């Protein structure tokens, strides 16, 4: 249902190169409960549901439906995927607007802003060099372009040229539209980030993921975490809260179309 692969990989694989397994399709990263949510109405505070009385699959279905219905969400946290530590601090909405940062332990940090179909990405010189070489540029071409791009916002690209921009800004779609076969078991009640929750344990590809679901009001996913191997977690909040994307000033922007020749392989 909410596998860490569906959350992290679907959003970040294009830009952070988490690996072929992360980006080569995620059809098995969901759950049977998620597959059934198309017919499940999203819960709301106007029609409260006593989650404690429901089965694990029923809770998972209602949570999945509630999260998929969001207009916007904030994601903060750090989790490991295919040997790389991925960190995200990102506000995103269903229209593809977003603002925040994402980073990979092997590739560096990116700041991303997107609004009204226009996107801007900023990174330091070392991060740009890695990304450009990975995209096929020669070391010399990557070095020249990275020197121009460093600490400035790159813009003037479309979703085919910079697919990671669109992917990162579609967090809701990336997280909550997968289906598959995960085992979900019901845990205990508690408090997570100041919210009353009940935990679910999801087993995907033999790996455990603990989900903390709000038990008051709408059954939102408040936090997901791993406790095995390299522990980590992601927190969810600012549900349906509007946010502002600040358009970078012109003197901090580089137009990709002007310099795209430097990105071509030798």
């Amino acid at each position: 249902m909410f596998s860490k692969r569906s959350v992290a990989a679907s959003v970040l694989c294009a830009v952070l190169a988490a690996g072929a397994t992360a980006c080569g399709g995620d059809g098995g990263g969901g759950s049977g409960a998620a597959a059934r949510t198309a017919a499940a109405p999203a819960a709301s505070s106007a029609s409260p549901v006593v989650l404690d009385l429901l089965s694990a699959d029923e809770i998972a279905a209602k949570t999945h439906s509630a999260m998929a219905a969001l207009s916007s969400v904030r994601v903060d946290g750090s989790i490991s995927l295919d040997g790389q530590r991925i960190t995200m601090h990102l506000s995103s909405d269903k229209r593809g607007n977003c603002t925040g940062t994402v980073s990979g332990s092997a590739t560096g940090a990116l700041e991303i802003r997107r609004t009204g179909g226009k996107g801007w990405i900023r990174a330091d010189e070392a991060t740009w060099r890695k990304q450009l070489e990975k995209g096929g540029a020669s070391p010399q071409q990557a070095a020249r372009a990275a020197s121009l791009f460093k600490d400035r916002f790159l813009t003037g690209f479309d979703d085919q040229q910079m697919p990671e921009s669109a992917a990162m800004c579609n967090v809701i779609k990336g997280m909550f539209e997968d289906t598959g076969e995960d085992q979900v078991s019901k845990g205990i009640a508690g408090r997570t980030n100041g919210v009353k929750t009940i935990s679910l344990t999801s087993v995907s590809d033999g790996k455990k993921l603990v989900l903390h679901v709000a038990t008051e009001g709408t059954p939102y996913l408040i936090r997901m975490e791993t406790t095995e191997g390299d522990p980590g977690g992601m927190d969810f909040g600012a549900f349906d809260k509007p946010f502002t994307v600040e358009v970078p000033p012109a003197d901090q922007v580089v137009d990709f179309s002007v310099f795209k020749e430097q990105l071509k392989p030798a």
Side-chain angles (χ1 to χ4, degrees):
M1 177 196 166
F2 302 115
S3 71
K4 71 173 180 177
R5 179 169 299 281
S6 68
V7 175
S10 64
V11 178
L12 302 175
C13 69
V15 66
L16 300 180
T21 56
C23 302
D26 194 34
S31 74
R36 293 190 293 273
T37 58
S44 70
S45 56
S47 55
V49 176
V50 181
L51 294 187
D52 290 0
L53 302 181
L54 303 182
S55 69
D57 279 354
E58 288 171 328
I59 296 172
K62 289 186 178 294
T63 303
H64 186 282
S65 183
M67 296 298 283
L70 284 170
S71 61
S72 61
V73 69
R74 171 84 183 180
V75 185
D76 292 279
S78 180
I79 204 164
S80 292
L81 180 68
D82 293 341
Q84 182 172 184
R85 193 73 174 179
I86 294 173
T87 301
M88 177 190 298
H89 301 285
L90 192 71
S91 294
S92 173
D93 69 21
K94 259 189 173 172
R95 295 175 296 172
N97 302 316
C98 73
T99 182
T101 61
V102 292
S103 64
S105 56
T107 52
L110 295 176
E111 179 181 353
I112 181 168
R113 302 180 190 180
R114 188 177 175 90
T115 184
K118 296 181 180 180
W120 299 266
I121 297 176
R122 179 163 66 175
D124 61 23
E125 187 171 1
T127 297
W128 276 128
R129 188 180 298 116
K130 289 179 182 178
Q131 295 296 323
L132 294 168
E133 289 185 10
K134 188 176 63 182
S138 70
Q140 294 79 12
Q141 291 170 328
R144 283 199 305 272
S147 179
L148 291 168
F149 297 162
K150 66 177 181 180
D151 300 323
R152 301 170 76 184
F153 286 93
L154 186 63
T155 193
F157 48 81
D158 59 32
D159 290 349
Q160 285 71 46
Q161 294 166 322
M162 287 285 184
E164 62 273 15
S165 173
M168 284 188 291
C169 292
N170 280 288
V171 175
I172 296 172
K173 179 178 180 180
M175 285 191 294
F176 306 116
E177 288 193 354
D178 64 315
T179 60
E181 294 294 335
D182 282 4
Q183 298 176 346
V184 184
S185 59
K186 194 172 174 181
I188 60 174
R191 295 189 74 90
T192 306
N193 298 339
V195 177
K196 289 184 179 179
T197 57
I198 189 166
S199 66
L200 298 177
T201 297
S202 171
V203 180
S204 176
D205 297 326
K207 298 179 181 179
K208 291 183 179 179
L209 189 69
V210 180
L211 314 171
H212 300 276
V213 177
T215 56
E216 293 184 341
T218 306
Y220 290 133
L221 177 62
I222 303 300
R223 178 175 172 81
M224 60 172 238
E225 60 189 4
T226 56
T227 57
E228 300 175 325
D230 188 5
M234 288 191 175
D235 299 306
F236 301 85
F239 305 112
D240 286 330
K241 301 279 188 184
F243 59 89
T244 300
V245 180
E246 183 178 351
V247 176
D251 61 357
Q252 294 182 20
V253 172
V254 175
D255 191 332
F256 172 80
S257 62
V258 175
F259 299 104
K260 64 183 177 181
E261 293 301 317
Q262 299 190 45
L263 303 180
K264 292 183 178 179

